[in-house]
Amino acid sequence: MRLKDKVALITGGSSGIGLATVRRFAEEGAKVVFCSRRAPEKISDFMQELKDAGIDANVRYVQCDVSDEAQVKALAQYVKDTFGNCEILFNNAGIHLAGKLLETPPEAWDRIMGIDLRGVYLVSYYILPQMLEGGWGSIINMSSVSGICADYAMCAYNTAKGAITNLTRAMALDYADSNIRVNAVCPGVVRTAIAEHTFECVPGSEELFRQNYPTHLIADPVEVANACVFLGARESDAINGVNLPIDGGITCHTGQPQVGTY
Ligand code: NDP
């Protein structure tokens, strides 16, 4: 088991990539706390699924909004009281918002910055002292290909994820000599509710995504979760400050058209 007895916190663990990562961490022997704002019915189904697999004993759910400082402080304390100092943090919670700048009113801007960016800062702020006390840690931030390059009509989201990309580098530098590594995962399109919604609302969009990706594949949440297992585990101890694309190679592309039949 690659994460045996490691204490982990995963934010936004109630669906999509977060849920897949809770499952993979549990399979790898970690003690996992995960959170979300709402506790949907599917969490009890998920806990039952873990129980059936015999890996539920060390998994706990906590309701927490990562943009609320008091709730985050309580979440960090819960992790420490339940399993001890947090060693692996996956700052995954996030929302998506479409729109160019003029289609992003101030309250929408503040909402996305509050969750996608300030949430990462806040959870890190309250968890890092535990890692310093424990003498080892691995933080994985959820960025995106939209944090490496920009997309059309995603002004606030691009900005929040771009900031996470550089926050990851800054944290990686500042805490490397304390034995704490900080990396980010930068997925392209992943088959979660967000993507499925787009595919349903915009006819032909799934095919368009497939055509654009060099691999012509849409990632499954577990493929991102597997990268998080690697970045969380001691086997990646030499990797720090990396923003890892999980994108089938789309960020390799300059955007220029393929001309001719080479
Ligand atoms: P989901 O909507 O399936 O999952 C988002 C999770 O975050 C849910 O558990 C949600 O639960 C939780 N969440 C949202 N806001 C908060 C909050 N304020 N506090 C605590 N939890 C919160 O989306 P994905 O799995 O697709 O996305 C997960 C992350 O991956 C996001 O940061 C997203 O930007 C990023 N990403 C996704 C890509 C994709 O194609 N799907 C591509 C690249 C990056 P609840 O709403 O109940 O709080």
Side-chain angles (χ1 to χ4, degrees):
M1 286 188 177
R2 295 155 75 190
L3 303 176
K4 182 101 182 91
D5 291 331
K6 287 267 174 270
V7 178
L9 171 60
I10 297 174
T11 67
S14 66
S15 67
I17 297 165
L19 189 83
T21 309
V22 175
R23 186 185 292 114
R24 285 292 295 117
F25 275 34
E27 286 169 356
E28 294 293 347
K31 298 174 178 175
V32 187
V33 175
F34 69 107
C35 78
S36 66
R37 290 167 300 180
R38 293 157 291 176
E41 212 172 67
K42 73 173 182 182
I43 286 187
S44 45
D45 294 345
F46 175 60
M47 292 305 284
Q48 186 59 47
E49 182 201 315
L50 295 183
K51 194 170 181 183
D52 294 344
I55 51 173
D56 63 312
N58 288 327
V59 180
R60 303 280 190 280
Y61 172 79
V62 174
Q63 211 163 351
C64 172
D65 181 337
V66 296
S67 65
D68 182 308
E69 185 178 354
Q71 291 184 33
V72 169
K73 197 173 173 183
L75 173 70
Q77 192 59 47
Y78 176 87
V79 175
K80 191 176 172 78
D81 293 345
T82 308
F83 292 132
N85 285 326
C86 184
E87 296 168 289
I88 305 171
L89 166 62
F90 182 25
N91 275 315
N92 165 71
I95 55 168
H96 183 261
L97 185 74
K100 301 176 188 178
L101 189 138
L102 287 179
E103 294 147 5
T104 309
E107 60 275 15
W109 177 273
D110 289 348
R111 203 160 79 86
I112 201 153
M113 293 305 156
I115 296 174
D116 288 17
L117 180 56
R118 188 168 183 269
V120 171
Y121 154 75
L122 269 181
V123 180
S124 303
Y125 184 80
Y126 283 104
I127 287 295
L128 259 166
Q130 296 183 22
M131 293 183 169
L132 290 170
E133 193 176 296
W136 183 85
S138 174
I139 298 178
I140 305 152
N141 292 330
M142 174 54 87
S143 183
S144 165
V145 288
S146 312
I148 299 174
C149 307
D151 294 298
Y152 292 102
M154 278 201 223
C155 176
Y157 186 77
N158 285 330
T159 305
K161 293 300 187 186
I164 289 172
T165 297
N166 223 26
L167 173 64
T168 298
R169 296 187 185 111
M171 291 167 70
L173 289 178
D174 288 342
Y175 294 99
D177 60 5
S178 301
N179 224 9
I180 296 166
R181 298 181 293 114
V182 186
N183 295 290
V185 284
C186 303
V189 67
V190 182
R191 192 174 289 286
T192 67
I194 295 176
E196 297 286 5
H197 181 72
T198 308
F199 298 158
E200 277 164 30
C201 295
V202 187
S205 56
E206 180 169 355
E207 190 45 38
L208 209 54
F209 274 106
R210 281 189 193 284
Q211 279 170 17
N212 262 16
Y213 276 76
T215 51
H216 306 299
L217 295 173
I218 290 166
D220 189 86
V222 75
E223 294 176 284
V224 182
N226 286 336
C228 293
V229 169
F230 171 66
L231 290 174
R234 300 299 307 242
E235 66 206 63
S236 62
D237 264 352
I239 299 178
N240 188 35
V242 159
N243 284 279
L244 178 69
I246 305 174
D247 68 348
I250 198 162
T251 50
C252 294
H253 189 203
T254 60
Q256 300 198 70
Q258 185 179 2
V259 181
T261 52
Y262 303 105

